[in-house]
Every structure is written in structure tokens, then in C-alpha cells.
Amino acid sequence: MILQRAVSERSLALLAAARREGCKTVYDADDNLLLIDQMSDDPNTPWRIYFGEARERIARLLSGVDQVKVYSSSAVPFFVPHNRNVVPIRPFHLVPEGDPIPGGGARPVRVGFFGSYYKDAEFEPLVPVIRELIEGDYPLAFEFFGFCPEALADDPRVTRLAWEPDYGQFRARLLERRWEIGLAPLRETDFNRCKTNIKYREYAASGIAGIYSRAEIYRTSVEDRRTGLLVPQESSAAWREAILELAENPMLRRWLARNALADLRANYRREEYVAAVAALVG
């Protein structure tokens, strides 16, 4: 039995029943929900309240399963205190047929970010840069799919797209936007070390040249200046320089996007993921 992001009393009852029947049990963790307080400084954030109240149940689930499955080696040390059997498995990613990479040359160059909620702390170094660039004479358009920094939410020059919870529709809409540059700020926190490199994979699958913070989850999966640009998270100047470099260099954008897409096709294959999970539960 695989429990994915389970937090409830019902999940604990299912786990107990599975163990009584001799089933192998796995907790599938793409976030460390025990560290949810690091996500936002606001204690009234709904996610902090919800998962904070479930902390004791989550700890019992983690300690009660046979194995914990995570998606990166950087997450392992943060789960080992709760379960000695923590296994990192590289995620797979579905890649669309054909060539999703924009041809380049269109103006303005579209710069985007996608995400759900509570990312304002990640965007603190980027907000002044985005403000400067939209106020200046730069051929750039900024779009936010789902989350938008509170400081930019009311700016009519920033495009906001409602979050799409259906994954198939999300992928289709992301491709339709034809972004040429994708942003991926991420602070170096223990909570973020337990995340997946989903921004890299989604940008690569959509033909988007990404700019990523040097957080561990990205610096261990993105090859700087080959499959994306890596910048210091807290350096506004570095984010500005990287955005302008890609905006002014369509050949570099396409080079990064093609290399990232090739990396995705070679190293994030569904067959390899299925084989690794089969070995885990077998």
C-alpha cells in the first residue's frame, strides 16, 4: 500500500489494516509536511494551520510504514529521523510529441512563473527587478500562472492566469502561453530541500528556457548554462542580469531549452521510474 501525502486518522487506520494483513507499506513524500512552517512566515497561512494540526499524525504515518519514498537525495536526511528506510527515486515526466520550443524573435519576450500559493518569500529578490523591467523600456511581458506576488498583484502590466488544478489542462495551458523564459526562485531551506525539481521538468517539457536559484534541488539537476541558468537566490542583480541576457539572446534561449528537453527525454523516463518503484515495493 502506498500512502501519498497522507495526513488523516483514516490513513492511520488503513496503515494499521495493511500491516495486519502483511502488506508492504510505503509513504510517498514529495514535500516534508513536518517542515511546513518554513514555507511562510505567516502563522495564519491555511497550509501552515492545516498541516501543522496534522503534524503528529504525519509523524506516526512516517514511522509506521516500511519505507519512505522521496524524489531527491537532498530530502533523505530530513526523513531518516522518522524512518530509517528512506529511498530516493528520480521522478518521471511526460514529454509532449513534437517540438514545443518557441521559434524566438517575438516581442515582447514572455517571462513566466507557475505555482500554487504562498511563494511571496521566494520572490522577495525578484519583485524589485520585475518592477524595474516593466517600468523601463524593455521588450518583456511578465505572466503569473496561479500564484502572483502580492506586491505585483494589482499591477495592470502583469498578466495573471487562474490556477488550473486539472493537470492535463494545466499542461495544455502552459504550452499555449508560449513562454520563452521561466523563473524558478527557491530559498535554501530544509523544507525546500525536500521538494522536487518540478519547475525544471515542466519548463523543459514546454520548451521554456529556465532561470533557477542555486538551491540544492536545482543545482543538482540543472547544468548551468547548458540546461538552464543558475543564479544566487538572494541577488536581485543576478536575477536581473539573467533575465536580460536571455531576453536579448534568442539563440541562447533555444540552446538551453533544447538541452533541457533532451535531458528530460533521456533521464526522466517513465519506464525507469516504474522499474525503480517496482523494485521498491517488490
Side-chain angles (χ1 to χ4, degrees):
M1 183 177 71
I2 297 177
L3 297 161
Q4 188 172 38
R5 294 176 66 95
V7 302
S8 67
E9 287 289 348
R10 179 61 174 160
S11 297
L12 283 165
L14 289 171
L15 173 60
R19 293 187 69 86
R20 284 196 301 271
E21 296 299 321
C23 296
K24 188 164 188 177
T25 55
V26 178
Y27 193 102
D28 188 307
D30 61 353
D31 269 321
N32 189 334
L33 300 175
L34 296 174
L35 300 176
I36 196 69
D37 288 0
Q38 296 181 10
M39 181 198 65
S40 169
D41 293 334
D42 181 2
N44 296 314
T45 299
W47 284 5
R48 279 190 58 171
I49 295 172
Y50 177 76
F51 292 116
E53 291 175 347
R55 183 173 281 111
E56 186 269 340
R57 295 192 298 275
I58 297 168
R60 286 168 60 194
L61 287 163
L62 287 170
S63 64
V65 295
D66 295 310
Q67 292 176 306
V68 176
K69 171 176 168 285
V70 296
Y71 290 84
S72 67
S73 296
S74 62
V76 172
F78 303 99
F79 286 94
V80 165
H82 305 282
N83 192 307
R84 290 166 52 183
N85 298 315
V86 183
V87 181
I89 294 179
R90 176 178 284 186
F92 76 94
H93 207 88
L94 298 176
V95 182
E97 298 293 334
D99 187 355
I101 300 171
R107 287 292 185 270
V109 174
R110 290 186 179 184
V111 183
F113 174 85
F114 75 85
S116 50
Y117 304 106
Y118 317 123
K119 304 287 193 300
D120 281 288
E122 317 297 336
F123 265 86
E124 284 183 6
L126 264 164
V127 165
V129 174
I130 294 172
R131 277 181 170 158
E132 176 198 344
L133 295 177
I134 60 178
E135 290 170 1
D137 187 22
Y138 297 97
L140 296 166
F142 288 87
E143 297 189 355
F144 289 87
F145 191 172
F147 166 82
C148 181
E150 185 177 354
L152 300 172
D154 295 326
D155 195 314
R157 297 165 297 183
V158 172
T159 299
R160 297 189 63 182
L161 309 170
W163 182 247
E164 176 52 70
D166 180 273
Y167 183 65
Q169 292 298 317
F170 162 77
R171 288 287 301 273
R173 291 192 66 195
L174 184 60
L175 280 168
E176 287 172 359
R177 299 314 299 173
R178 307 292 286 174
W179 293 351
E180 296 200 82
I181 301 172
L183 303 175
L186 195 68
R187 293 172 297 153
E188 190 73 282
T189 66
D190 291 345
F191 176 72
N192 286 339
R193 290 184 181 95
C194 298
K195 298 182 75 64
T196 75
N197 61 353
I198 185 64
K199 294 287 189 304
Y200 172 62
R201 290 182 281 120
E202 293 291 5
Y203 288 158
S206 301
I208 300 166
I211 306 173
Y212 307 89
S213 79
R214 288 189 180 274
E216 185 168 2
I217 199 67
Y218 292 134
R219 68 173 181 265
T220 56
S221 56
V222 178
E223 187 176 345
D224 191 25
R225 304 198 71 81
R226 185 176 183 278
T227 59
L229 298 185
L230 293 172
V231 299
Q233 164 67 13
E234 301 303 326
S235 174
S236 295
W239 284 104
R240 181 185 185 277
E241 180 181 343
I243 292 170
L244 289 178
E245 180 180 13
L246 288 187
E248 295 165 359
N249 193 336
M251 291 184 63
L252 178 58
R253 293 198 302 268
R254 291 196 292 274
W255 160 258
L256 296 175
R258 291 195 185 284
N259 289 338
L261 183 61
D263 177 43
L264 197 69
R265 286 175 169 153
N267 296 308
Y268 294 87
R269 298 173 63 244
R270 178 169 46 185
E271 296 84 355
E272 293 176 1
Y273 175 81
V274 170
V277 173
L280 176 69
V281 301

